[in-house]
């Protein structure tokens, strides 16, 4: 698709991997920071996708608790979610170039 071709041009032929230190932090803490992992144009594509999904009403309030007791509780947290995976189920809407970047990176 045109989005795939555009993303391929952004990514080039190089495959990026996280540095060993970032992987170790991810395993130890559940998150990591990888400065400059994405190019500014890639960040903008993802930002555009999220803005379009928000404008389309695809975000919803996230609850707290296990599946059977899940409830909204603003005193615990205020959070929104928008599922992007699995791709087959959540591929519509938004800015497809940004989503393609996420799916193909």
């Amino acid at each position: 698709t045109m989005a795939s071709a555009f993303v391929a041009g952004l990514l080039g032929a190089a495959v990026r991997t996280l540095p060993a230190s970032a992987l170790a932090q991810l395993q130890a803490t559940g998150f990591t920071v990888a400065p400059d992992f994405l190019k500014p144009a890639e960040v903008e594509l993802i930002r555009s996708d999220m803005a379009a999904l928000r404008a389309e009403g695809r975000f919803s309030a996230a609850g707290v608790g296990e599946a059977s007791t899940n409830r909204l509780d603003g005193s615990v947290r205020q959070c929104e979610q928008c599922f992007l995976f699995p791709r087959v189920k959540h591929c519509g809407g938004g800015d497809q170039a940004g989503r393609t970047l996420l799916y193909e990176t």
Side-chain angles (χ1 to χ4, degrees), residues 67-80:
S68 63
T69 62
N70 193 328
R71 69 197 185 289
L72 294 178
D73 187 343
S75 68
V76 175
R77 76 170 183 176
Q78 293 181 349
C79 180
E80 291 182 311

Side-chain angles (χ1 to χ4, degrees), residues 3-103:
S4 294
F6 181 71
V7 170
L10 281 174
L11 296 176
V15 173
R16 290 172 279 181
T17 58
L18 288 173
S21 60
L23 289 173
Q25 181 185 18
L26 181 61
Q27 291 173 332
T29 65
F31 73 95
T32 192
V33 176
D36 301 319
F37 186 75
L38 296 174
K39 298 173 187 175
E42 294 168 334
V43 172
E44 190 52 43
L45 282 174
I46 295 167
R47 184 176 289 142
S48 175
D49 185 32
M50 295 302 110
L53 289 169
R54 179 173 298 288
E56 294 167 8
R58 300 272 303 266
F59 280 80
S60 61
V64 296
E66 299 294 326
S68 63
T69 62
N70 193 328
R71 69 197 185 289
L72 294 178
D73 187 343
S75 68
V76 175
R77 76 170 183 176
Q78 293 181 349
C79 180
E80 291 182 311
Q81 61 190 10
C82 178
F83 293 102
L84 302 176
F85 294 94
R87 184 178 187 172
V88 172
K89 183 176 180 183
H90 301 287
C91 65
D95 180 334
Q96 291 302 301
R99 191 81 44 76
T100 299
L101 173 68
L102 288 175
Y103 291 147

